[in-house]
Amino acid sequence: MNEKPSKMSNSEGLPLAREMQDLQNRFNAMMHTINGNSKVAAFMSTSVGQYLDDHPFLALLLLIFTIMAAVPVGLFLIFAVITSLLACIGFIVMEGLMLSIGGVVLLCFLCGLILISLIITSFLAICFFTFSTTMNYYHNLSTPNKEEEAVSYSAISCPDETESKSTLKKD
């Protein structure tokens, strides 16, 4: 009843040693297939490959690190590419927006310059016409008219006649 079997067996009744032998045979076949690959054979002929072959713990550590680092590095690269694309698109949008705003500001500034130029021109034109009209008015007051000029001219040249002309005018 309390008999202990000397060999352990699995659920099918095969001894554990036989199962391990099968597993080892499959592992050796897989290693033969991997080592038969030309790229692996080329890598194993390098000094790094020979060093990793001599130090299996370091090779396993490097393999596990590479597998575990693949996901974060891949996520970072995807993030970097997406960020770069969005930055380029955002730069184009921002540049277009800034050019549009700058164009509107320039248009407003030019319209303001037109308005200021119109005001200054109108002021100068009003000043010119006012000054011109005032100068013509004072010039006409200070210069005698043609009839008075003729009388004054004749008075200078013939003083006797001017007296008689002036008395005739008064009558």
Side-chain angles (χ1 to χ4, degrees):
M1 254 177 121
N2 288 337
E3 241 181 87
K4 289 187 177 181
S6 60
K7 292 184 179 180
M8 295 181 108
S9 63
N10 62 7
S11 61
E12 298 174 359
L14 293 176
L16 189 59
R18 173 129 176 123
E19 194 173 291
M20 289 298 284
Q21 186 70 27
D22 288 341
L23 185 62
Q24 186 177 8
N25 287 339
R26 282 188 276 168
F27 180 74
N28 285 339
M30 183 178 67
M31 289 301 293
H32 180 66
T33 304
I34 290 173
N35 287 333
N37 189 345
S38 62
K39 291 182 181 181
V40 174
F43 175 73
M44 292 307 284
S45 64
T46 63
S47 59
V48 175
Q50 290 172 358
Y51 182 81
L52 290 176
D53 192 30
D54 292 341
H55 300 86
F57 180 75
L58 186 62
L60 182 63
L61 178 73
L62 187 62
L63 178 68
I64 290 174
F65 175 77
T66 305
I67 290 171
M68 290 177 67
V71 172
V73 169
L75 289 174
F76 174 76
L77 290 176
I78 290 170
F79 172 74
V81 168
I82 289 173
T83 303
S84 298
L85 288 174
L86 290 177
C88 290
I89 291 170
F91 178 74
I92 291 169
V93 169
M94 284 301 292
E95 186 175 350
L97 180 67
M98 294 304 291
L99 285 174
S100 299
I101 291 171
V104 169
V105 168
L106 179 64
L107 184 65
C108 292
F109 184 75
L110 291 177
C111 289
L113 282 178
I114 289 172
L115 184 64
I116 290 171
S117 298
L118 183 66
I119 291 170
I120 291 172
T121 305
S122 299
F123 177 74
L124 290 176
I126 289 170
C127 288
F128 174 75
F129 288 127
T130 304
F131 182 74
S132 175
T133 305
T134 306
M135 290 306 291
N136 284 338
Y137 177 73
Y138 282 120
H139 179 68
N140 286 340
L141 284 180
S142 66
T143 56
N145 55 13
K146 290 183 182 180
E147 189 176 302
E148 289 179 4
E149 278 183 21
V151 169
S152 65
Y153 179 71
S154 63
I156 294 172
S157 57
C158 304
D160 294 334
E161 293 178 14
T162 52
E163 288 177 10
S164 63
K165 283 185 184 178
S166 57
T167 56
L168 288 175
K169 253 188 181 182
K170 287 180 185 177
D171 291 334

